[in-house]
Amino acid sequence: MIRTGIRNVLEKHSLNTSNNYEVNQTSIEECWVDTFTLKNDQTFSFKTYAPTVFAKLRRMMFGIEDESYAKSLGSDKQYLDFQSNSKSGQFFFFSDDEFYILKTLAPRECRWMKAMLKEYVDHFESYPKSLLCKICGMYRVKQSNGNKTHLIVMRSTFDTILPMSKKFDLKGSTVGRAASDHDLKKLSPVLKDLDLEASGIKLYFGSSQGKAILEQLNKDTQLLRSEEHTSE
């Protein structure tokens, strides 16, 4: 349903964004609601949140054209299940080319994303090298039985030709931040903060690059802290 929805939405609607396009409350509240039918005659509703705002993010800040976005997310191949040990209970999937990660959201997380969207766009305009997740779209699928699934599409950090021997999900915390024995038995486990500390692995960036990374991390966390307060 998600593949069908994204592919058909981009084919059906035209999006015009220019360099001087300004994000405002009207464009954030904008949404498209389309109804599509699958090959088995099952119908579903597909809601696209803030389509013009996310188009601006994709095109002007992340360098992603609609054609390549639709090709990655709207292909006929199945999405790839991402082995996650997230405690949130949400699900993660890769597009089949692994350019994007799709994550399901709780409705409150969807509302929080909408509430901070203006600041999120402003942040990337000010800091194009931000290390925050690059969120490319937010959607909702409503099945004919009334079940709803909210999700976001993010640019994948695993899109690389280099082999990866270890994967870490780092949050800068040590509380409950270790992979369980069950997770460690997986073929490619996702490790956490305490696992990195125990491994002895160290990252070397050099003085100038290390300083730039720390400065950007500080700016990124300042945004998240300010939005955390507004969501309480």
Side-chain angles (χ1 to χ4, degrees):
M1 291 183 183
I2 298 170
R3 296 195 309 274
T4 301
I6 292 177
R7 180 175 61 243
N8 287 328
V9 157
L10 292 174
E11 290 176 354
K12 180 177 179 180
H13 300 277
S14 60
L15 286 165
N16 296 314
T17 56
S18 59
N19 291 333
N20 58 0
Y21 172 79
E22 292 188 10
V23 175
N24 53 40
Q25 196 59 36
T26 300
S27 59
I28 290 172
E29 293 297 332
E30 178 190 13
C31 65
W32 298 334
V33 180
D34 298 281
T35 300
F36 301 114
T37 303
L38 300 173
K39 292 180 180 179
N40 61 3
D41 293 330
Q42 181 183 2
T43 61
F44 67 96
S45 169
F46 193 81
K47 186 173 186 177
T48 306
Y49 291 97
T52 313
V53 178
F54 282 109
K56 173 176 181 172
L57 279 166
R58 291 195 303 268
R59 296 172 180 174
M60 299 181 187
M61 300 178 196
F62 305 156
I64 300 169
E65 294 299 328
D66 287 346
E67 183 178 356
S68 65
Y69 186 67
K71 183 178 179 181
S72 292
L73 294 163
S75 79
D76 292 329
K77 296 181 180 179
Q78 294 290 330
Y79 291 150
L80 308 174
D81 188 13
F82 175 52
Q83 293 185 353
S84 170
N85 50 15
S86 171
K87 293 182 179 180
S88 67
Q90 302 302 329
F91 297 96
F92 296 79
F93 300 92
F94 280 120
S95 58
D96 71 272
D97 56 12
E98 299 191 16
F99 286 176
Y100 301 95
I101 289 181
L102 298 89
K103 179 190 180 227
T104 60
L105 299 176
R108 61 177 176 79
E109 293 175 306
C110 185
R111 292 191 294 270
W112 181 81
M113 185 65 214
K114 282 182 62 180
M116 73 166 292
L117 191 52
K118 175 68 165 62
E119 288 73 21
Y120 180 81
V121 174
D122 290 345
H123 188 77
F124 269 98
E125 285 188 319
S126 299
Y127 309 110
K129 293 185 179 181
S130 170
L131 299 172
L132 292 174
C133 293
K134 293 180 170 62
I135 300 176
C136 303
M138 186 164 68
Y139 308 95
R140 187 207 68 191
V141 176
K142 183 178 180 181
Q143 301 179 50
S144 55
N145 61 8
N147 290 341
K148 299 177 183 178
T149 301
H150 297 81
L151 67 141
I152 55 172
V153 176
M154 302 178 285
R155 190 71 174 87
S156 173
T157 56
F158 297 110
D159 172 29
T160 173
I161 61 173
L162 300 175
M164 287 184 287
S165 57
K166 294 183 184 295
K167 297 177 184 177
F168 291 91
D169 171 20
L170 304 177
K171 292 188 176 179
S173 171
T174 57
V175 180
R177 297 299 299 163
S180 66
D181 291 338
H182 173 74
D183 291 324
L184 292 174
K185 292 178 182 178
K186 294 179 180 179
L187 180 62
S188 180
V190 178
L191 306 175
K192 297 185 178 181
D193 300 68
L194 290 175
D195 303 309
L196 177 63
E197 187 175 312
S199 72
I201 295 174
K202 297 187 182 298
L203 305 177
Y204 297 94
F205 298 105
S207 58
S208 60
Q209 189 175 27
K211 180 181 178 182
I213 290 173
L214 289 175
E215 288 177 350
Q216 187 58 61
L217 282 172
N218 186 50
K219 292 168 183 172
D220 291 345
T221 52
Q222 284 177 4
L223 171 70
L224 297 178
R225 287 195 190 105
S226 66
E227 292 306 318
E228 182 181 15
H229 292 312
T230 59
S231 66
E232 292 176 350

